[in-house]
Amino acid sequence: WYQRRVREAVVSTQSTGSSGINAEYGEYIQKNLKLYEMIHGYKLTPNAAANFSRKVLAKALRSNPYQVNLLLGGVEDCGTPSLYFMDYLASMTKEKFAAHGYGSFFILSTMDRYYKDDMTRDEALDLLKLCIKEVQSRFIVNLNSFSVKFIGKEGITVLENIPGSGTVHKDVPPRSNPPPNSSPVLKEPVSLTCL
């Protein structure tokens, strides 16, 4: 999985697929959104960034497709959260909650049952923990921890990792929480997103 801050403090993307293709696609989107900002003097909203990202996927589909599934989340200018789901065939939908990858087969029903439009940040974290518990109990992959980021009006906040029940080899050191201003590119095998 590959995550990149597309528009600092307002939009974040997360994608799965080949790491090389993810890096190429993520950097292309990031650089073109920055170019747009430099030319026109303002940043694109999450809706506009999602439509641009989808257009790039659709155009590449007919020549040299990106094998990328994508979640793009952010806060619109009016302060409302937005979350867009895109797949490698360039279909795009606006969602209230989303997940992709194999883990999504297990957690989408959990999110569907417990998600509420007026959830607080703590309730969202509780739902995320419930989803992680579901993945840990039903999925073959067993991880030590899950990184969590909160996208809000004030920007992207790195929260404390949620511990998993996974085990690692004795020679692998335990992973600590990243510093708040760590690199915008993070690589993790499983991802969960909830706005």
Side-chain angles (χ1 to χ4, degrees), residues 12-190:
S12 179
T13 64
Q14 171 218 341
S15 59
T16 60
S18 168
S19 61
I21 292 171
N22 282 334
E24 177 187 345
Y25 177 77
E27 289 172 6
Y28 180 80
I29 296 298
Q30 180 185 32
K31 301 303 180 194
N32 275 280
L33 292 180
K34 185 64 177 172
L35 177 63
Y36 185 93
E37 179 187 350
M38 291 168 57
I39 291 172
H40 298 285
Y42 61 92
K43 298 178 181 182
L44 291 175
T45 65
N47 183 17
N51 281 287
F52 173 74
S53 301
R54 187 213 163 275
K55 178 183 164 193
V56 170
L57 283 173
K59 186 175 179 184
L61 184 62
R62 281 131 186 98
S63 58
N64 189 16
Y66 292 106
Q67 295 296 316
V68 173
N69 294 315
L70 177 75
L71 295 176
L72 188 143
V75 178
E76 299 289 346
D77 292 337
C78 61
T80 60
S82 296
L83 178 63
Y84 296 90
F85 176 91
M86 287 173 256
D87 68 3
Y88 69 99
L89 295 173
S91 65
M92 180 179 80
T93 61
K94 186 172 181 180
E95 302 289 344
K96 293 181 180 181
F97 55 85
H100 58 75
Y102 289 118
S104 68
F105 296 127
F106 305 115
I107 64 172
L108 282 174
S109 60
T110 304
M111 285 195 232
D112 189 41
R113 180 172 183 176
Y114 296 108
Y115 176 83
K116 299 181 295 188
D117 286 334
D118 58 346
M119 292 179 84
T120 65
R121 187 173 175 168
D122 290 334
E123 290 173 332
L125 280 173
D126 289 341
L127 176 56
L128 187 59
K129 289 175 185 175
L130 189 60
C131 290
I132 289 171
K133 182 180 175 186
E134 191 69 26
V135 167
Q136 293 276 290
S137 66
R138 298 182 62 188
F139 193 48
I140 194 167
V141 176
N142 205 4
L143 299 175
N144 284 342
S145 68
F146 294 81
S147 59
V148 180
K149 293 187 178 190
F150 179 78
I151 303 171
K153 295 174 190 172
E154 24 335 295
I156 301 170
T157 307
V158 178
L159 303 178
E160 188 173 328
N161 288 345
I162 297 176
S165 61
T167 57
V168 294
H169 190 271
K170 61 182 170 104
D171 294 334
V172 178
R175 192 172 134 202
S176 62
N177 285 326
N181 295 326
S182 64
S183 171
V185 178
L186 301 173
K187 295 184 179 179
E188 292 291 326
V190 172

